[in-house]
Amino acid sequence: MPKSLVRSGGLVVLGVVFLAAGSYWGLAKAPAELFMGDVQRIMYVHVPTAWNAMLALTFSFVCAVCYLLTNSWKWDSRLEAGMEMGVVLSILLCIQGSIWAKPTWGVWWDWDPRLTTTAVMVFAFGAILALRASVEDPARRAVWSAVSCIIAFVDVPVVYLSVKWWNSLHQAQSSPETV
Amino acid sequence: MNHLLVALRKDLLLQWRGRAQVIATFAFGAAALLLFSFAVGPDSAALREHAGGFLWLGLLLASTLSLAESFEREMEERALEGLLLLPASPRGLYYGKAIANWANLALLGVALVPIMVVLYDAGTPRLFSLLLVILLGTAGLSAPGTLYAAMTSQTRARQTLLPLLLYPLVVPVLLAAVKATSLLILGDPMGQLRPWLVLLGAFDLIHWSIGALLFARVVED
């Protein structure tokens, strides 16, 4: 058996073992939360999803920069893998968040900065996957997705900041004119 | 610098010769503003309250048309390849194109203001500030828009891809420009205009610098 197949097979087995152990721990072993009850258990999967989504998209940003510097196909493949993971995890993040929000907040969606930024992220990086799908020339596809990945990644903090202001600035705040 | 001016002159000349397209884009934006009022209903208070949002949505929808058009022309007879053979810097080409698109969009924004005032009864005495908001906001649309139009004009699904890539990216521009415009129309007792203008300025600064850095890689090959 080739070495790489053994390695990736081992990773899959390890993943399944961790998934089973984590599910048992979160669903059976941990006690129910005092106020929210069993609903809170979603956090055991929601928070890691959020971390891994951020990690995957940050990884693809690093790959994008490395691709533009080295022009090596390795980085393009890693970028695609990282971005697909990041988009799938961000979509899952929104779905899990909605499942949690309905029983606790009473609504499926709230225009909270973190939620809104995640939704924008899904569309921004999902669009790059759509761009990849419609470019045949592999060299152009690699450069263009690296370029758009860098732009989208740089944009995310600005989106977060603007949504945060949008959500809070309409409440009365003190300024030299009002004090 | 010289390259930039020559490229800018070329792009402005192209837009002047294709002014029928500019007028058609304006008609599209005005039609969008008319349609938004049907979505809300003839409630003049609600229309006035949302006028800023409608103006920027109309401008955003129309902007993808004119941004895409600006590179469609470069694709005819492989004009872009010819341009890249010239001893001109890609940076100059990018800024020339982006500034021409900015001028085009700012003009469109200014032209849509009277439509907004008439349809939604949403005037403001602070015309200079409104012009500043339009200039900063359209600059934020034109820098990333020009870069993405350069890419998508060479792809299969270009009509879909440009808005798909551009809209999520310009969420900060939309938020800040809508807020600032609404503050001008509805009054700004708390003095909240400045932070939104600063946000627009920061967005412009980021995208006008990375756009030029990355454009060379986008058009090379």
Side-chain angles (χ1 to χ4, degrees), chain B:
Chain B
M1 197 62 202
N2 204 15
H3 293 163
L4 193 162
L5 290 178
V6 175
L8 176 63
R9 186 176 165 276
K10 173 212 59 144
D11 279 306
L12 288 176
L13 194 65
L14 267 175
Q15 282 184 353
W16 174 247
R17 298 226 170 112
R19 52 194 179 276
Q21 164 74 21
V22 178
I23 293 168
T25 313
F26 164 71
F28 173 81
L33 289 190
L34 187 68
L35 290 181
F36 289 140
S37 38
F38 294 133
V40 172
D43 174 356
S44 53
L47 282 174
R48 189 162 186 274
E49 196 182 329
H50 297 122
F54 294 155
L55 174 75
W56 282 95
L57 269 185
L59 193 53
L60 183 63
L61 293 173
S63 76
T64 41
L65 295 183
S66 70
L67 287 167
E69 177 63 25
S70 75
F71 268 94
E72 262 355 32
R73 273 188 232 113
E74 304 292 1
M75 291 302 126
E76 286 169 19
E77 319 264 355
R78 304 166 77 181
L80 186 62
E81 283 174 46
L83 269 181
L84 293 170
L85 289 176
L86 297 174
S89 70
R91 199 168 293 184
L93 289 180
Y94 171 76
Y95 279 131
K97 188 66 101 184
I99 293 173
N101 279 333
W102 179 20
N104 193 354
L105 291 177
L107 192 67
L108 183 66
V110 170
L112 285 177
V113 168
I115 311 281
M116 171 184 82
V117 173
V118 170
L119 287 181
Y120 310 138
D121 184 29
T124 171
R126 298 170 68 182
L127 283 178
F128 182 74
S129 303
L130 185 62
L131 181 67
L132 188 64
V133 173
I134 290 177
L135 283 177
L136 287 174
T138 49
L141 297 180
S142 125
T146 304
L147 188 67
Y148 278 129
M151 287 186 231
T152 53
S153 61
Q154 305 176 53
T155 61
R156 270 182 281 129
R158 55 173 173 268
Q159 291 91 341
T160 326
L161 276 179
L162 178 59
L164 195 62
L165 285 161
L166 187 62
Y167 289 171
L169 203 70
V170 295
V171 164
V173 176
L174 191 64
L175 282 183
V178 168
K179 272 286 174 187
T181 312
S182 298
L183 286 172
L184 288 175
I185 293 170
L186 304 171
D188 180 16
M190 306 286 182
Q192 294 174 353
L193 185 64
R194 184 181 281 271
W196 292 113
L197 292 180
V198 170
L199 181 70
L200 279 177
F203 184 94
D204 292 349
L205 199 66
I206 293 172
H207 281 272
W208 280 82
S209 13
I210 58 172
L213 283 176
L214 296 171
F215 183 76
R217 294 302 303 268
V218 167
V219 292
E220 77 178 4
D221 63 358

Side-chain angles (χ1 to χ4, degrees), chain A residues 70-147:
Chain A
T70 62
N71 285 323
S72 149
W73 292 114
K74 257 192 324 201
W75 291 111
D76 181 53
S77 310
R78 287 172 187 166
L79 179 141
E80 181 168 13
M83 208 181 291
E84 278 180 3
M85 282 303 299
V87 170
V88 169
L89 288 173
S90 310
I91 293 174
L92 284 177
L93 191 63
C94 290
I95 297 174
Q96 292 163 355
S98 289
I99 294 173
W100 183 80
K102 187 66 184 170
T104 42
W105 297 343
V107 286
W108 294 108
W109 191 261
D110 183 74
W111 296 100
D112 163 83
R114 261 189 274 188
L115 265 81
T116 315
T117 310
T118 312
V120 171
M121 238 164 56
V122 167
F123 285 105
F125 287 95
I128 302 174
L129 291 179
L131 175 74
R132 284 188 76 89
S134 62
V135 184
E136 277 114 24
D137 181 7
R140 280 186 173 175
R141 181 170 60 218
V143 172
W144 292 355
S145 36
V147 165

Side-chain angles (χ1 to χ4, degrees), chain A residues 10-68:
Chain A
L11 281 176
V12 169
V13 172
L14 202 64
V16 170
V17 168
F18 277 143
L19 187 67
S23 302
Y24 167 72
W25 216 290
L27 290 174
K29 200 155 187 281
E33 209 264 348
L34 195 59
F35 298 105
M36 286 183 275
D38 284 333
V39 173
Q40 182 266 343
R41 290 180 195 277
I42 202 166
M43 279 183 193
Y44 301 132
V45 65
H46 188 60
V47 177
T49 309
W51 274 104
N52 283 310
M54 299 299 148
L55 201 64
L57 292 176
T58 310
F59 174 74
S60 49
F61 168 72
V62 173
C63 295
V65 174
C66 289
Y67 178 80
L68 289 186

